[in-house]
Amino acid sequence: MTYRELQKFAEERLKNNGVEDSSFDALCLVEHFTGKNKTRLKLEDNSEVDSEHETAVLHGVDRRIAGEPLQYILGEWEFYGFPFKVGTGVLIPRPETEMLVDFGVKLAKDIKSPVIFDLCAGSGCIGISAAKLLPDARVYCVEKSPAAFEYLNKNIGLNRVDNVTAVMGDIFDGLKSFGLPEPDIILSNPPYIESDMLNTLQPEVRLEPMEALDGGEDGYIFYECIASRWLPFVKGALAVECGEGQAEKIALMFETDEILKDFNNIKRVVIRRKSGCSETCGAEG
Ligand code: GLN
């Protein structure tokens, strides 16, 4: 088969088996398993693919058809322009989470050597991106799942950040149990789905770790924990991501009314500033 035929074949097979973004997924899989980028594939579209690569692509297509998320098959995904290793046991970074990084970075620019915490860090996408953009910051990424923790460490290495510390632990133990410095800024995208709703999620999402999604019976247990065990020690500001329809209640918990909407106009991020951290800190521009 030529590269062009392989891509077409992969796309058709994905499409006929109900995969939504068949053309995008086929291109990603062909690029990944042949080691050729889009431009090379165009230039060489009439050349024969060697059989080893062809088998690898077709195996990837089968995994996708079986419901595995594309990102797990590729093993790496981009967030804020940086690469992150992902796979079974770690949540896939979502584009809307980049808002949290934007906010944290704007705010931290006004603080000298800021101490930043990423709670429920998972892959580390939030904390590591912030650390890349703020070389004088000290970032602590807290994660309790051993599988996710492994990815977190891999991603610290992959992104060559020496200002990030991976901290294994449960945020329910509260800041004091960790013996770490008090944070200027806390950023967090904790699990926020109601336990009862977990089995209604898309099949792909259900292959992501339940403990990264399960926000307890009402979906708010992590926010309650952050409000009572972490917020009291924050010096600058705290920003959390939340699910659709949750922002108002979280804003009440954090005694704030500052809410940011994402690109789909969903209230997505709740911000709580401490005194001295005025509305102009971290403001646009
Ligand atoms: N902080 C990670 C992310 O935003 C993981 C979040 C989680 O496990 N709930 O992708």
Side-chain angles (χ1 to χ4, degrees), residues 18-180:
V19 175
E20 240 174 66
D21 290 326
S22 53
S23 145
F24 176 75
D25 287 20
L27 174 64
C28 290
L29 291 167
V30 174
E31 279 186 317
H32 178 74
F33 288 109
T34 64
K36 294 189 190 291
N37 65 24
K38 204 166 149 184
T39 320
R40 282 243 70 85
L41 289 174
K42 273 239 153 62
L43 288 169
E44 297 179 28
D45 68 349
N46 273 324
S47 324
E48 285 292 313
V49 184
D50 69 58
S51 65
E52 216 175 287
H53 286 160
E54 185 177 311
T55 311
V57 171
L58 297 179
H59 180 59
V61 167
D62 286 342
R63 285 170 66 185
R64 186 70 195 95
I65 289 170
E68 200 173 335
L70 176 70
Q71 295 88 336
Y72 283 181
I73 303 170
L74 303 177
E76 201 172 296
W77 197 241
E78 204 173 89
F79 176 85
Y80 218 100
F82 304 119
F84 287 88
K85 295 270 177 218
V86 289
T88 311
V90 72
L91 196 81
I92 299 163
R94 311 292 207 262
E96 57 270 25
T97 304
E98 295 187 355
M99 282 176 69
L100 263 191
V101 178
D102 275 333
F103 172 77
V105 168
K106 275 185 212 143
L107 190 79
K109 286 217 163 105
D110 299 327
I111 305 171
K112 198 175 172 311
S113 308
V115 172
I116 301 176
F117 277 60
D118 173 2
L119 303 181
C120 307
S123 64
C125 61
I126 299 168
I128 293 172
S129 303
K132 283 290 262 190
L133 299 162
L134 300 160
D136 81 322
R138 165 94 340 246
V139 179
Y140 296 94
C141 289
V142 183
E143 175 54 50
K144 73 161 189 206
S145 140
F149 196 74
E150 231 176 88
Y151 281 100
L152 172 58
N153 272 317
K154 279 188 201 162
N155 288 325
I156 290 173
L158 178 66
N159 285 286
R160 296 200 179 87
V161 274
D162 56 14
N163 54 340
V164 179
T165 307
V167 181
M168 172 80 129
D170 189 341
I171 73 159
F172 280 85
D173 294 337
L175 173 75
K176 287 295 157 196
S177 75
F178 287 91
L180 296 170

